């Protein structure tokens, strides 16, 4: 018996009967010889961490576009916070931490530059629409590794695809990430908004703080405890009605006071122009895209789809620099 097989055996000894067992995965689209030291979900986690899309997250907006300061969240730090929350819940419920971590680390791989602003613009411009959850799976199945994809397991792709509120993951680990994402972004966005002096803690309605707590640590602690206690012993992941209503109320408060705040979102009109003009330019000049994206058209997909893939893969900095290069005249010199 090799190390992987011992790890698989141990999962059956210690995990909940509702957990996603590594040796019971539905597998990959393309068969691969199993690793002798890592389970299937450990391999998926490692592939995600080492892929290019994961590294680009450090230069992608979470909420505050191009903030001045080192301590605002990026898409990468948000992803790590989701992973930490999700692993805490999964461990307490005796679920598969490796599967949970892989889904959490991969859930936002398909995000555009400039956060949800870029996503909205591409969704309007693409004839077949655009959403970051579907784009994340497109990356793992196709775009990464020069068109080969990461060839992840069914369960990890399913969790990534269904991590939003509208989703319905097929594993409890996917459901854990779905809750952990919401808990992470609402609370970290409050923290960043307070740092940016858009909000003060006292501005948050008492009907929510009395239930969820009066600072970031209290809210995370209360919400994570609630998910664990509400889900323990069940073939489901859930929250108590009181905490869920308070969390959703807090989310609505954030939409009204932060997500549409002119200070936090003051640069989004400019960002939208950048995305739209890059999209139109490369639809007219597909030959100027990197070969990996030009090849998408040669494989039979539309130029709009290929251009959306290219733009979605850009970091904020790359998109801004490329837009400048294409639109701003350079100073002429004979030297």
């Amino acid at each position: 018996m090799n190390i992987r097989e011992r790890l698989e055996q141990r999962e059956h000894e210690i995990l909940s009967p509702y957990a996603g067992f590594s040796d019971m995965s539905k597998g990959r689209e393309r068969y691969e010889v199993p690793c002798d030291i890592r389970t299937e979900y450990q391999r998926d986690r490692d592939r995600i961490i080492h892929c290019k899309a994961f590294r680009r997250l450090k230069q992608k907006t979470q909420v505050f576009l191009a903030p001045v300061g080192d301590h605002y969240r990026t898409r990468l730090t948000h992803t790590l916070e989701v992973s930490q929350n999700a692993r805490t819940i999964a461990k307490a419920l005796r679920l598969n931490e490796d599967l949970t971590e892989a889904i959490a680390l991969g859930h936002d791989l398909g995000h555009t530059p400039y956060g949800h602003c870029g996503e909205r613009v591409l969704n309007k411009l693409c004839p077949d629409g655009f959403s970051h959850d579907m784009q994340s799976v497109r990356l793992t199945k196709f775009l990464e590794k020069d068109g080969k994809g990461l060839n992840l397991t069914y369960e990890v792709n399913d969790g990534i695809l269904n991590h939003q509120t509208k989703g319905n993951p097929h594993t409890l680990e996917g459901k854990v990430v779905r809750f952990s994402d919401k808990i992470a972004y609402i609370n970290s966005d409050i923290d960043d908004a307070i740092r940016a002096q858009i909000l003060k803690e006292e501005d948050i309605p008492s009907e929510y703080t009395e239930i969820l707590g009066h600072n970031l640590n209290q809210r995370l602690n209360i919400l994570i405890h609630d998910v664990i206690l509400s889900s323990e012993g069940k073939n489901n992941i859930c929250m108590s009605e009181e905490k869920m209503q308070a969390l959703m109320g807090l989310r609505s408060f954030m939409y009204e006071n932060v997500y549409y705040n002119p200070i936090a979102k003051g640069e989004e009109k400019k960002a939208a122009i950048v995305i739209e003009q890059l999209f139109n330019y490369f639809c007219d000049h597909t030959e100027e895209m990197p070969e990996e994206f030009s090849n998408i058209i040669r494989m039979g997909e539309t130029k709009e789809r290929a251009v959306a893939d290219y733009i979605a893969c850009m970091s904020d900095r790359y998109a801004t620099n490329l837009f400048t290069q294409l639109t701003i005249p350079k100073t002429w010199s004979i030297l």
Side-chain angles (χ1 to χ4, degrees), residues 70-335:
D70 295 331
H71 301 122
Y72 293 93
R73 270 76 172 183
T74 65
R75 191 62 59 180
L76 178 60
T77 56
H78 161 73
T79 293
L80 296 176
E81 289 176 352
V82 173
S83 177
Q84 184 268 326
N85 292 344
R87 286 189 62 196
T88 297
I89 296 170
K91 182 184 283 290
L93 295 176
R94 293 188 299 122
L95 299 176
N96 193 314
E97 284 185 68
D98 297 323
L99 173 56
T100 304
E101 185 177 27
I103 296 169
L105 293 175
H107 83 280
D108 270 356
L109 290 178
H111 255 294
T112 63
Y114 313 127
H116 286 285
C117 169
E119 182 177 19
R120 288 192 295 269
V121 175
L122 284 183
N123 187 47
K124 291 179 182 178
L125 294 172
C126 293
D128 54 349
F130 182 96
S131 65
H132 78 271
D133 48 355
M134 295 183 69
Q135 187 69 16
S136 296
V137 174
R138 182 167 169 81
L139 272 161
T140 66
K141 288 189 172 185
F142 177 55
L143 295 178
E144 276 290 329
K145 298 181 69 173
D146 299 320
K148 298 176 184 176
L150 301 179
N151 197 30
L152 303 180
T153 57
Y154 166 85
E155 291 78 11
V156 172
N157 277 327
D158 170 76
I160 292 172
L161 182 64
N162 289 288
H163 75 271
Q164 295 195 84
T165 301
K166 63 184 180 182
N168 184 27
H170 288 80
T171 65
L172 294 194
E173 289 81 1
K175 294 178 189 294
V176 166
V177 172
R178 183 170 166 268
F179 274 99
S180 298
D181 181 38
K182 192 174 277 79
I183 290 170
Y185 81 71
I186 292 173
N187 286 289
S188 62
D189 293 349
I190 291 173
D191 189 49
D192 279 352
I194 292 172
R195 179 172 292 105
Q197 299 183 352
I198 292 172
L199 281 183
K200 298 189 294 295
E201 180 67 41
E202 309 85 75
D203 295 331
I204 303 173
S206 60
E207 61 185 293
Y208 308 134
T209 57
E210 288 175 3
I211 295 171
L212 300 178
H214 298 274
N215 58 52
L216 174 68
N217 291 342
Q218 287 181 9
R219 284 188 285 270
L220 289 176
N221 186 54
I222 287 171
L223 286 164
I224 289 171
H225 269 79
D226 188 74
V227 172
I228 292 168
L229 295 175
S230 300
S231 307
E232 196 168 19
K234 297 177 183 176
N235 187 16
N236 191 25
I237 304 299
C238 53
M239 292 178 66
S240 67
E241 187 66 25
E242 179 190 45
K243 301 297 191 298
M244 191 65 188
Q245 286 186 0
L247 183 62
M248 290 299 95
L250 194 56
R251 181 174 180 265
S252 297
F253 170 80
M254 289 296 290
Y255 268 96
E256 294 169 7
N257 294 275
V258 175
Y259 299 144
Y260 296 138
N261 184 289
I263 297 175
K265 298 300 183 179
E267 297 297 295
E268 281 200 354
K269 289 183 180 179
K270 298 176 187 177
I273 292 170
V274 171
I275 296 291
E276 184 170 0
Q277 292 206 20
L278 286 176
F279 185 89
N280 292 334
Y281 180 86
F282 284 107
C283 280
D284 292 335
H285 302 85
T286 56
E287 73 284 354
E288 294 185 25
M289 291 193 298
E291 187 175 0
E292 61 185 294
F293 298 101
S294 299
N295 284 339
I296 294 172
I297 302 172
R298 287 191 282 272
M299 294 172 65
E301 299 205 49
T302 66
K303 65 180 181 180
E304 290 84 2
R305 182 72 260 172
V307 172
D309 287 338
Y310 180 34
I311 293 175
C313 284
M314 296 178 185
S315 65
D316 294 17
R317 182 173 60 187
Y318 184 97
T320 301
N321 289 343
L322 183 58
F323 175 80
T324 301
Q325 176 185 325
L326 293 173
T327 61
I328 307 300
K330 296 182 177 65
T331 301
W332 183 86
S333 173
I334 62 174
L335 299 179

